[in-house]
Amino acid sequence: MINRRQCLELALGAGAALTLNARLFAAQQSVLQRAIPSTGEMLPIIGLGSSATFSAAARSDELDGLREVMKSLVEHGGKVLDTAPGYGASEQVSGQIARELGIANRIFWATKVNVAGRGAAKADPAAAAAQIEDSFRKLGVSKIDLIQVHNMGDVATQLPILKDLKKQGRIRYIGVTTTSPDQYAAIEQVMRNEPLDFVGLDYAIDNRDVEQRLLPLAMERKIGVLVYLPFGRSSLFRRVAGRSVPDWAKEFDATTWAQFFLKYLAGHPAVTAITPSTTKAANMIDNLGGGSGRLPDAAMRRRMVEYVDSLPAA
Ligand SMILES: NC(=O)c1ccc[n+]([C@@H]2O[C@H](COP(=O)([O-])OP(=O)(O)OC[C@H]3O[C@@H](n4cnc5c(N)ncnc54)[C@H](OP(=O)(O)O)[C@@H]3O)[C@@H](O)[C@H]2O)c1
């Protein structure tokens, strides 16, 4: 008599079965939780991003794949879904799938506002308010967990709109995002001067500039951090192509490259949640494994950096 896993292993062959075992093992463990510094509310440390993936899949009618990804997110202990009006059909599609699956209230909805673009352009406050109402409609929820000013677009105009909605109880948390080093000095000023719950920042094992000033400041000011681009839009996977995860990664329970990269980030105490994007349920489960089990300590994190830095850039 063989069990379900053995049956799958036979069907997939030895190599795939090894990967499957690693993923199942990781998924069976619970996802670590981190507190949102401003309230103490706990969030699973691994979530789901949706920029390129959801908009592309929506264009090509590949909704079944995304349905499986969102189902896996929630079933395996994740919660945060990062989206934005600027991500094509992402809000519409994720809201629709969540309603169909009946999981809308099991998701921590993180979306954004920006009608000013990047840089010095001014935002029309009426257009920003209308964009936010559109997000409520598309996500199909009466309260949005988090709205952030996207890419630091006219923060002086758009952040007060978010503060007001938070006061009214329509949104729970507010923040500001950037993934551009040329905006780090400006976001630092906003972090020092505004009552933010979150910032969204680019951070990856081979993209560590935020460790210098922004992550320590987030801890000092009790601002939560959502990590964006944790795989450098998949460039990290190209960098390690053809290489096995080092044996010593077992010391912090990483059995796949995705888990190795995510555990490096989760090992930083300023990080509240990491939102890798994926179009594949198996990768979603793999990623949630990056938030399970042991995390690397400071010495191990230095070893991980030395290893990745020694590889040729992708
Ligand atoms: N300014 C901002 O506010 C801002 C800017 C950039 C990004 N973001 C947010 O951050 C999120 C993440 O960034 P991103 O989507 O650009 O890039 P990313 O998460 O660094 O990388 C996504 C890529 O990694 C692959 N991948 C995911 N899990 C994998 C796994 N376990 N094994 C192998 N490959 C895997 C995906 O391919 P598969 O589909 O094949 O899995 C996808 O191509 C965005 O979706 C967005 O929500 C915000």
Side-chain angles (χ1 to χ4, degrees), residues 50-51 82 87 151 177 229 231 277-280 283 286-287:
S50 70
S51 54
D82 185 84
Y87 297 166
N151 289 333
T177 80
L229 302 173
F231 303 137
S277 70
T278 179
T279 50
K280 302 181 181 80
N283 284 353
D286 183 18
N287 294 344

Side-chain angles (χ1 to χ4, degrees), residues 6-284:
Q6 288 164 327
C7 183
L8 272 170
E9 286 176 4
L10 284 172
L12 290 169
L18 204 69
T19 313
L20 182 74
N21 270 338
R23 286 174 171 163
L24 285 175
F25 171 76
Q28 277 157 6
Q29 305 197 1
S30 55
V31 181
L32 301 169
Q33 311 267 318
R34 283 273 161 82
I36 299 173
S38 61
T39 61
E41 177 181 350
M42 302 302 281
L43 282 184
I45 198 158
I46 303 294
L48 173 64
S50 70
S51 54
T53 48
F54 271 59
S55 43
R59 274 200 305 274
S60 59
D61 284 337
E62 287 168 2
L63 296 189
D64 288 349
L66 295 181
R67 195 171 289 116
E68 291 308 309
V69 169
M70 286 181 62
K71 209 167 149 197
S72 302
L73 169 76
V74 170
E75 280 181 358
H76 294 279
K79 195 167 184 183
V80 179
L81 195 155
D82 185 84
T83 181
Y87 297 166
S90 166
E91 281 185 328
Q92 176 75 42
V93 166
S94 54
Q96 182 191 321
I97 293 176
R99 282 193 298 283
E100 283 168 17
L101 293 174
I103 58 170
N105 60 5
R106 291 171 67 189
I107 288 175
F108 182 96
W109 292 101
T111 191
K112 312 192 184 79
V113 62
N114 191 7
V115 293
R118 244 188 121 268
K122 287 276 160 226
D124 169 5
Q131 188 183 65
I132 292 168
E133 292 311 319
D134 212 36
S135 295
F136 276 103
R137 258 192 310 279
K138 287 176 173 160
L139 298 178
V141 292
S142 56
K143 206 177 251 195
I144 293 177
D145 296 295
L146 166 64
I147 303 188
Q148 302 185 90
V149 179
H150 201 169
N151 289 333
M152 291 286 293
D154 192 1
V155 175
T157 302
Q158 298 186 111
L159 191 61
I161 298 173
L162 298 183
K163 285 184 193 168
D164 195 44
L165 286 168
K166 184 177 170 185
K167 217 180 284 170
Q168 291 172 35
R170 295 191 67 206
I171 63 182
R172 300 173 62 224
Y173 298 104
I174 62 173
V176 174
T177 80
T178 183
T179 53
S180 304
D182 64 354
Q183 292 184 327
Y184 285 177
I187 202 170
E188 183 177 333
Q189 286 315 304
V190 178
M191 290 168 73
R192 289 190 186 283
N193 298 320
E194 295 287 353
L196 302 180
D197 300 297
F198 278 95
V199 285
L201 301 168
D202 58 315
Y203 183 29
I205 193 169
D206 65 346
N207 171 24
R208 304 183 300 273
D209 287 358
V210 295
E211 289 177 351
Q212 299 305 313
R213 298 176 67 90
L214 298 183
L215 295 186
L217 180 62
M219 286 171 63
E220 183 191 318
R221 297 274 298 147
K222 297 194 178 355
I223 299 171
V225 175
L226 289 191
V227 171
Y228 296 151
L229 302 173
F231 303 137
R233 295 204 169 93
S234 78
S235 63
L236 269 171
F237 293 107
R238 291 196 296 280
R239 196 157 178 181
V240 296
R243 290 169 200 272
S244 303
V245 177
D247 209 44
W248 43 265
K250 287 198 186 90
E251 291 175 39
F252 54 93
D253 300 323
T255 52
T256 66
W257 278 117
Q259 292 168 14
F260 183 98
F261 301 141
L262 293 170
K263 282 188 176 230
Y264 174 78
L265 305 172
H268 196 295
V271 169
T272 313
I274 309 164
T275 64
S277 70
T278 179
T279 50
K280 302 181 181 80
N283 284 353
M284 182 74 254

